[in-house]
Amino acid sequence: MCGITGIFDTRGGSAIAPAALQRMNDSQLHRGPDEGSLHIEPGLGFGHRRLSIIDIATGQQPLFNEDDSVVVVFNGEIYNYQSLIPELQAAGHVFKTKSDTEVIVHAWEQWGDKCVDRFRGMFAFALWDRNRQSLFLARDRLGVKPMYYAVLDDGTLLFGSELKSLMAYQGAGGSGLKRDIDPLALEEYFALGYVAEPRTIFKQAKKLPPAHTLVVRRGQAVGEPRRYWDVRFTCDNAMSEQDAGDELVRRLKESVKLRMIAEVPLGAFLSGGVDSSAVVQAMAGLSDTPVNTCSIAFDDPAYNESEFAKMVADRYATNHRVETVKSDDFGLIDTLARLYDEPYADSSAIPTYRVCQLARKHVTVALSGDGGDETFGGYRRYQLHMMEERMRSALPEGVRRPVFGLLGRLYPKADWAPRVLRAKTTFQGMARTSVEAYFHGMCFIRQPLRSRLYTRSFTAQLGGYSAIDVFERHARRADTEDPLALVQYIDTHTYLVGDINTKVDRASMAHSLEVREPLMDHELVEWAASLPSSLKLQGRNGKAFFKKAMEPHLPNDVLYRPKMGFSVPLARWFRGPLRQRVRDTLLRGPILEGGWLNADVVSQLVAEHDNGRHDHSTPLWTLLMFDAFLRTSVGEARLPQAA
């Protein structure tokens, strides 16, 4: 696992300042503390920070082909590299190392930009072909590893694993990345809790979307990225539940085995949930020695599931480590803002940071269970969505919209009531289309509140744009009539990438820890997408056939207990130890100085939460993390037209 960065003069061969490239590379030291190297030639500079995992002795980067005409910097792992080496050698390519990195340069020589079709893994890399005068950027299919890039006014292209490396660039005359905030990105953040691909919080920078490549030829304008893969939820594989379960066990074992290749200590996260437990049981069956596992316990029983992790650890005799985190572990707010570079509002980043911190004390590589809910239909929100879909299909839209729209407006927001009695969201969802309803349910700050929260000048800057466009854009590509498959497709392209993968990448790399993702193997994902939804969701039982297949391997209490999630007690924090910080931060300071937010509405949210009238913890956390971003990552952030 590594950090990559670079500078490319798209117009000519101007000299690259070594100091500028060094600053960019040093900004990502945490991603690769073992080694750091640069390559500079006219018009091009590559930087690399290395966390040594495979071929520790000879896998240094930047890495070249036989005649030094092709060079690559690479972040990630190509899990099938050992099977590609003989094929490339048979085609005449000569290898100097045993690393998966060298496979990339020879695969480029052999197959050009189609080389990514042959890779099975998580990756983001940049490759320079001097003979073709071409820069090639690529990102893995499911967006496990990040890639940022920007084209400056003078034609300089910057890229890096993290946005901070682009922000560190200082060119001639002090030129660099402009820090103007993109109002459309800000709308996406307030709605979703993250800025969705391909935008970043800054107008001038972009994210390379998952499953995309970008070819930039010297002397030509920078074009648009090309998609090279997509998952298709065909739902047409007529396997029985038993056969599907048997095939799942086989595929999971293969995926885990590929991800256990390492020359450093290896382990796994074990949360006590179905996905991480399934990964650990597969690892135990493949390992001659006890598996290293780690989990976080909370001192608040309402958030603690460590007893279930212990059940699995005991069953498979793992070397299990547990650390207890206080439920008031909110001291990481500014640390997280610096890590993520963009505003990021998933509060589970706090325990994720802590479990990565624990794991790194004992291992360098950890396997996770991320991606299982999206792939196999495990989220509780899928159950609610399918219930609403049945009701939507039974009632004409001309009836649904007015009747349930009125109920959604009039029904009280019962934050204090048991979840089953909180009907307001259901009524609001019933008045909407399928995609509108799913987006509404996923929002951190929902549209009616966003409309009140935004100033007139900021609303004008949006020009009618709404973050629902992110969901609708992907829904148009989904090519499925199956309602569960539709939201799985949307989640795979939005929540999984922008929230889950972003969270795990930054939290793990902050501790120089590599996290691998067996349940996001693209061949496993493609196979699961071929299965009918009836195998995945059965009533209130999500991941139904997955759990059935795991019954011989995992305790029933792990498989069939209510899903807890990895959460923190925000509502209590904001009425207790963080009460004064919320007031000091949100009622004055930079968050209100940019011209984005209505101070009276912010004050109302704080007051209503403080007096217990409503639970506004999620909107307040979203605003708090935006303030932390402004203070730690931007400095004089502004939206000139609105300010």
Side-chain angles (χ1 to χ4, degrees):
M1 193 62 60
C2 306
I4 64 174
T5 194
I7 306 169
F8 178 54
D9 179 6
T10 65
R11 297 174 181 174
S14 61
I16 301 298
L21 183 60
Q22 189 68 59
R23 278 193 300 271
M24 295 172 69
N25 207 36
D26 289 346
S27 73
Q28 300 182 140
L29 175 65
H30 52 284
R31 296 188 73 93
D34 295 335
E35 295 180 79
S37 301
L38 306 180
H39 167 71
I40 297 176
E41 60 181 82
L44 177 85
F46 275 4
H48 184 261
R49 294 297 326 180
R50 188 183 188 200
L51 178 62
S52 304
I53 304 292
I54 293 175
D55 193 14
I56 293 175
T58 63
Q60 289 79 8
Q61 300 181 42
L63 188 146
F64 298 81
N65 66 338
E66 302 95 323
D67 64 3
D68 292 345
S69 64
V70 178
V71 58
V72 70
V73 283
F74 162 51
N75 169 31
E77 304 288 352
I78 307 297
Y79 298 122
N80 64 331
Y81 77 102
Q82 291 175 332
S83 65
L84 291 174
I85 289 175
E87 183 178 355
L88 290 165
Q89 286 175 327
H93 298 278
V94 178
F95 280 76
K96 296 176 290 187
T97 74
K98 298 178 181 178
S99 72
D100 56 340
T101 307
E102 191 172 2
V103 165
I104 297 173
V105 294
H106 297 306
W108 166 263
E109 291 178 298
Q110 186 68 25
W111 301 304
D113 62 1
K114 303 294 185 184
C115 64
V116 288
D117 296 331
R118 305 297 303 275
F119 298 154
R120 187 175 179 182
M122 56 178 187
F123 54 83
F125 65 83
L127 180 147
W128 167 245
D129 188 322
R130 191 179 304 119
N131 295 333
R132 304 184 195 185
Q133 291 288 288
S134 294
L135 177 70
F136 182 64
L137 305 180
R139 190 176 180 195
D140 66 69
R141 294 168 179 83
L142 291 163
V144 179
K145 304 319 299 175
M147 174 72 86
Y148 291 85
Y149 70 100
V151 181
L152 307 187
D153 293 342
D154 63 0
T156 300
L157 184 147
L158 310 176
F159 70 85
S161 296
E162 296 183 15
L163 190 55
K164 60 172 57 69
S165 68
L166 279 61
M167 296 164 68
Y169 173 78
Q170 290 182 354
S175 63
L177 182 74
K178 294 178 181 178
R179 307 293 176 88
D180 294 335
I181 288 179
D182 183 348
L184 308 190
L186 201 51
E187 153 69 4
E188 291 176 4
Y189 167 70
F190 286 134
L192 300 172
Y194 57 87
V195 179
E197 273 78 353
R199 287 191 176 87
T200 73
I201 193 63
F202 300 127
K203 291 180 181 179
Q204 200 172 41
K206 294 181 179 180
K207 304 181 187 86
L208 184 66
H212 279 70
T213 60
L214 177 65
V215 178
V216 184
R217 294 181 173 84
R218 178 161 284 160
Q220 298 182 14
V222 178
E224 292 298 316
R226 176 187 73 87
R227 181 186 293 272
Y228 66 88
W229 178 88
D230 202 359
V231 60
R232 291 299 174 199
F233 283 83
T234 58
C235 307
D236 58 0
N237 189 334
M239 299 183 82
S240 68
E241 184 177 68
Q242 180 64 50
D243 289 344
D246 292 343
E247 181 68 5
L248 168 66
V249 171
R250 185 192 70 78
R251 286 178 176 270
L252 176 61
K253 182 178 179 179
E254 180 206 21
S255 182
V256 168
K257 185 177 181 179
L258 283 173
R259 286 158 179 78
M260 290 178 68
I261 300 172
E263 298 175 16
V264 293
L266 178 79
F269 297 146
L270 182 55
S271 68
V274 175
D275 300 327
S276 65
S277 300
V279 169
V280 167
Q281 68 82 26
M283 292 178 71
L286 293 164
S287 178
D288 295 330
T289 58
V291 176
N292 295 303
T293 58
C294 61
S295 65
I296 291 294
F298 291 92
D299 62 358
D300 185 338
Y303 298 88
N304 186 25
E305 53 183 349
S306 60
E307 64 177 293
F308 300 103
K310 187 176 185 302
M311 290 180 187
V312 178
D314 289 346
R315 180 163 180 165
Y316 289 100
T318 70
N319 289 328
H320 191 54
R321 278 105 173 179
V322 183
E323 281 193 7
T324 299
V325 175
K326 293 183 178 180
S327 57
D328 288 343
D329 186 27
F330 47 76
L332 291 175
I333 291 175
D334 290 342
T335 299
L336 293 177
R338 285 189 291 270
L339 284 180
Y340 288 86
D341 298 328
E342 298 184 90
Y344 178 81
D346 186 343
S347 60
S348 68
I350 292 176
T352 302
Y353 180 95
R354 292 302 186 199
V355 77
C356 290
Q357 187 178 49
L358 168 61
R360 189 60 179 90
K361 294 176 182 178
H362 308 285
V363 300
T364 310
V365 176
L367 273 61
S368 80
D370 294 320
D373 287 314
E374 290 83 2
T375 301
F376 299 105
Y379 288 122
R380 284 180 294 192
R381 61 178 179 262
Y382 292 162
Q383 302 165 27
L384 177 61
H385 180 75
M386 293 300 286
M387 179 193 74
E388 291 179 357
E389 278 296 288
R390 288 190 290 271
M391 296 170 66
R392 267 189 285 269
S393 64
L395 293 172
E397 184 176 358
V399 174
R400 279 193 298 105
R401 281 194 180 272
V403 172
F404 286 101
L406 179 63
L407 287 172
R409 289 191 298 273
L410 297 180
Y411 197 87
K413 188 174 187 290
D415 298 323
W416 48 267
R419 186 175 298 274
V420 71
L421 298 179
R422 300 182 197 177
K424 187 177 185 71
T425 300
T426 299
F427 291 151
Q428 292 171 337
M430 287 300 300
R432 292 169 162 86
T433 68
S434 180
V435 175
E436 289 171 347
Y438 193 66
F439 172 78
H440 179 74
M442 290 289 288
C443 279
F444 277 51
I445 303 177
R446 290 173 176 159
Q447 191 276 327
L449 179 54
R450 296 202 310 280
S451 297
R452 294 172 47 223
L453 194 59
Y454 295 163
T455 61
R456 289 183 179 179
S457 56
F458 180 49
T459 300
Q461 286 296 305
L462 293 177
Y465 177 78
S466 169
I468 194 174
D469 179 70
V470 176
F471 279 33
E472 290 179 335
R473 171 164 42 92
H474 291 297
R476 288 192 292 270
R477 287 190 55 87
D479 192 27
T480 180
E481 299 296 324
D482 184 286
L484 177 60
L486 174 64
V487 293
Q488 283 184 274
Y489 182 92
I490 291 173
D491 273 352
T492 299
H493 291 76
T494 57
Y495 181 73
L496 180 63
V497 180
D499 191 306
I500 301 297
N501 288 343
T502 299
K503 173 179 64 179
V504 174
D505 176 80
R506 303 306 190 279
S508 60
M509 295 314 298
H511 301 290
S512 305
L513 174 75
E514 174 170 307
V515 176
R516 298 178 178 177
E517 29 37 272
L519 297 180
M520 278 189 269
D521 183 276
H522 81 273
E523 293 188 7
L524 177 62
V525 170
E526 288 173 338
W527 171 76
S530 75
L531 299 175
S533 293
S534 58
L535 287 179
K536 302 170 188 174
L537 184 58
Q538 297 173 1
R540 295 186 177 182
N541 185 22
K543 287 188 285 205
F545 88 97
F546 187 113
K547 293 175 182 176
K548 189 72 174 177
M550 288 295 114
E551 284 182 357
H553 308 285
L554 297 174
N556 267 25
D557 286 346
V558 169
L559 293 173
Y560 294 107
R561 67 185 177 90
K563 188 175 178 62
M564 183 177 290
F566 215 26
S567 55
V568 293
L570 291 180
R572 181 171 60 78
W573 286 1
F574 292 155
R575 294 187 182 113
L578 281 182
R579 180 177 181 273
Q580 193 58 45
R581 173 164 181 164
V582 168
R583 301 182 71 83
D584 292 343
T585 298
L586 300 187
L587 301 185
R588 61 186 66 89
I591 195 170
L592 296 180
E593 294 170 1
W596 303 291
L597 303 176
N598 186 316
D600 291 338
V601 177
V602 174
S603 179
Q604 182 184 358
L605 291 177
V606 172
E608 289 181 349
H609 185 87
D610 200 35
N611 63 28
R613 183 179 176 185
H614 290 298
D615 180 0
H616 292 310
S617 54
T618 297
L620 291 177
W621 179 260
T622 305
L623 297 176
L624 198 65
M625 293 308 296
F626 179 53
D627 170 81
F629 157 75
L630 292 176
R631 288 185 292 101
T632 61
S633 298
V634 179
E636 297 181 359
R638 68 196 189 285
L639 186 64
Q641 298 91 334

